[in-house]
């Protein structure tokens, strides 16, 4: 961070993702579990986990008409009829709401996304960075009082 910054509230990550089975015998794989951890690294180098969230991608359908659906908390009904299977190689855009957090980030500190170890989660999950595809994390920044 270029200055002392307060991050307080809901965090949302938008990712353009796809699945490509690593093992040819798992070609029928129709789902992905996406685990996100937002962390903070102070200037001292000490990592601090801020918030986590996970999403089973087949349950990604957002109910945009629900009054509880906001840009910072996409609303899902989690009905069995809402399941959307994945096809290998197909790119899907998903919004993952990360639990609300609060941190005062000092000047020089960094906010980072932390990956899970490959040994625990086999397979090839891809994040796509191409024209027309969006990948971002929204952070609720609180302004300093003057």
């Amino acid at each position: 961070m270029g200055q002392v910054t307060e991050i307080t509230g809901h965090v949302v990550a938008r990712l353009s993702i796809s699945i490509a089975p690593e093992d040819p015998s798992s070609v029928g794989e129709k789902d992905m579990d996406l685990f996100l951890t937002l962390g903070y690294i102070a200037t001292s180098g000490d990592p601090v986990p801020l918030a986590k969230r996970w999403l089973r991608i087949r349950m990604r359908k957002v109910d945009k008409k629900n009054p509880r659906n906001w840009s910072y908390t996409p609303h899902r009904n989690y009905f069995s009829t809402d399941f959307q299977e994945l096809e290998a190689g197909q790119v899907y855009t998903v919004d993952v709401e990360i639990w609300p957090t609060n941190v005062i980030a000092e000047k020089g500190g960094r906010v980072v996304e932390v990956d899970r170890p490959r040994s625990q989660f086999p397979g090839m999950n891809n994040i796509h960075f191409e024209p027309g595809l969006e990948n971002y994390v929204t952070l609720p920044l609180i302004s300093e009082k003057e």
Side-chain angles (χ1 to χ4, degrees), residues 55-138:
L55 177 65
R56 177 153 287 172
I57 302 302
R58 74 173 176 199
M59 297 164 81
R60 67 189 177 276
K61 185 175 180 181
V62 173
D63 183 355
K64 294 184 179 184
K65 293 181 180 178
N66 191 296
R68 291 178 286 175
N69 182 60
W70 299 292
S71 61
Y72 57 89
T73 55
H75 181 79
R76 294 179 175 84
N77 294 315
Y78 298 106
F79 298 141
S80 61
T81 54
D82 290 340
F83 287 1
Q84 299 175 315
E85 291 188 348
L86 277 75
E87 293 182 32
Q90 176 69 34
V91 178
Y92 301 92
T93 300
V94 296
D95 291 322
V96 183
E97 64 278 15
I98 299 171
W99 289 334
T101 190
N102 173 262
V103 67
I104 305 294
E106 61 192 0
K107 183 177 179 177
R110 295 179 292 153
V111 174
V112 297
E113 190 276 322
V114 182
D115 277 335
R116 296 282 182 134
R118 186 178 180 96
S119 60
Q120 288 181 310
F121 299 93
M124 183 65 72
N125 299 336
N126 302 296
I127 300 176
H128 295 266
F129 296 91
E130 305 169 16
L133 299 178
E134 295 182 313
N135 295 287
Y136 57 83
V137 176
T138 58

Side-chain angles (χ1 to χ4, degrees), residues 7-57:
I7 301 169
T8 300
H10 297 269
V11 179
V12 175
R14 172 166 280 190
L15 300 172
S16 298
I17 52 103
S18 71
I19 186 169
E22 190 171 302
D23 179 359
S25 67
S26 66
V27 172
E29 185 64 41
K30 299 286 185 190
D31 205 358
M32 173 196 314
D33 288 324
L34 193 59
F35 293 87
L36 300 177
T37 302
L38 190 68
Y40 171 68
I41 300 177
T43 55
S44 63
D46 296 329
V48 177
L50 295 179
K52 298 181 179 197
R53 190 60 175 192
W54 55 91
L55 177 65
R56 177 153 287 172
I57 302 302

